[in-house]
Amino acid sequence: VAEETGTAVVLGVPLPSLRYRTPDGRGKHVRYWAARPTTDEDAPALTARAPVTPAPRTEVDEVVWVSAATAQEMLTRVTDRAPLAVVEELWAKDRLDTHTVAVVRHGQAKRRSSHPGGERTRPLTPAGVRQATALVPVLAAFGVRHVVSSPWERCLRTVEPYALASAAPVDVVEALTETAHRDNPKAVTELVTARLRGGEHVAISTHRPVLPAVLRALAAESRGWTLGNLPHTDPYLRTGESLVAHVTGRGSASRVVALEHHRPPRNGPTGATAPA
């Protein structure tokens, strides 16, 4: 969007994707999101993004804002109207203005049997470091402004590249550790609920055994009309994978409008995310 229009955006609710054949016969899969122009409050996410080179003027005839009705008329492919129709529906139901809560499972870590230092200091493997780096453009795309993490090494190092790239504040919370969750899982659910209802774009980095408590909080804020699904089977998220929740409203009126998964590319960051 920034390349072709000059307007930087933050991604919101995912929309229907399209698959079709290009004139040369190749298959193409296009994913869409609702989006909004960035504001000064999005400075952390903008700082973390790679520079965008504007498209050559020969590729862009005109950049103009139009109404949804006019956009429907201008779209030359009938199938391209499906994502826009969902945007209009979400707008009519007051589900388009959202904030993001991204739940991140830490990247691949060194095996317990090969790390004598204990659980708190078990580090990421080289693959885990690549997963952490690949997470940066994902969190930046969704406008994350704040990071919350378990203090254990593998969780902190997973979100460290984004925190360094964006200068986003990091809250270290003991309740997100495996041992604290084992003693008091309710504290995790309460923490996540507070973040869902707080209206802030935030990422939460934690461990696989903690995810059931996290998912309970998300389930409580979801409804039958929520787009996407929560994972229901262990391990819930793979290492380095994130579950992005789009939330509308604040306080007790907050609702999860949509859910989507993102996993890091197998060979490290490529400038784009790989949808799960």
Side-chain angles (χ1 to χ4, degrees), residues 173-176 180-181 183-194 210 213-214 216-217:
V173 181
E174 189 69 28
L176 290 170
H181 165 263
D183 296 337
N184 186 12
K186 184 179 178 181
V188 176
T189 303
E190 291 175 346
L191 181 153
V192 176
T193 299
V210 183
V214 174
R216 280 194 293 273

Side-chain angles (χ1 to χ4, degrees), residues 15-271:
L15 304 172
S17 62
L18 299 177
R19 294 180 183 270
Y20 55 86
R21 292 284 177 183
T22 59
D24 61 4
R26 290 183 299 172
K28 189 170 185 179
H29 181 199
V30 185
R31 296 189 65 185
Y32 293 89
W33 286 263
R36 61 168 177 80
T38 56
T39 67
D40 291 342
E41 293 180 312
D42 296 309
L46 288 172
T47 301
R49 294 181 184 181
V52 176
T53 302
R57 295 306 302 169
T58 54
E59 293 184 6
V60 180
D61 294 323
E62 185 180 16
V63 176
V64 58
W65 286 99
V66 299
S67 68
T70 300
Q72 288 279 16
E73 295 176 357
M74 295 175 67
L75 289 168
T76 53
R77 291 176 57 91
V78 174
T79 53
D80 286 345
R81 298 172 185 170
L84 181 55
V86 173
V87 170
E88 294 182 275
E89 180 183 356
L90 291 169
W91 174 264
K93 294 179 178 179
D94 198 25
R95 299 175 187 170
L96 201 56
D97 182 12
T98 60
H99 60 276
T100 296
V101 177
V103 178
V104 179
R105 182 184 172 189
H106 65 74
Q108 186 184 96
K110 193 173 182 179
R111 293 182 180 276
R112 290 179 174 85
S113 59
S114 60
H115 179 66
E119 280 297 285
R120 297 187 72 92
T121 60
R122 190 152 59 91
L124 296 178
T125 64
V129 172
R130 291 193 295 271
Q131 290 172 336
T133 303
L135 187 64
V136 174
V138 178
L139 300 183
F142 293 106
V144 167
R145 304 171 185 171
H146 202 128
V147 176
V148 181
S149 177
S150 159
W152 289 11
E153 177 80 5
R154 53 194 181 275
C155 285
L156 275 175
R157 296 296 171 249
T158 296
V159 290
E160 182 180 55
Y162 183 76
L164 291 175
S166 66
V170 180
D171 290 343
V172 177
V173 181
E174 189 69 28
L176 290 170
T177 64
E178 293 183 24
T179 52
H181 165 263
R182 184 175 61 242
D183 296 337
N184 186 12
K186 184 179 178 181
V188 176
T189 303
E190 291 175 346
L191 181 153
V192 176
T193 299
R195 294 296 179 174
L196 290 169
R197 296 182 174 186
E200 187 179 18
H201 296 261
V202 63
I204 301 172
S205 178
T206 190
H207 310 261
R208 181 195 58 75
V210 183
L211 289 175
V214 174
L215 296 177
R216 280 194 293 273
L218 286 166
E221 302 296 316
S222 300
R223 294 296 181 267
W225 43 257
T226 297
L227 300 174
N229 299 296
L230 288 167
H232 296 292
T233 56
D234 193 2
Y236 309 106
L237 296 175
R238 288 171 288 181
T239 55
E241 190 174 69
S242 54
L243 174 66
V244 178
H246 301 276
V247 189
T248 187
R250 296 193 179 196
S252 60
S254 67
R255 296 291 181 268
V256 176
V257 176
L259 296 156
E260 57 181 309
H261 294 82
H262 290 270
R263 67 173 181 265
R266 290 184 178 182
N267 297 320
T270 62

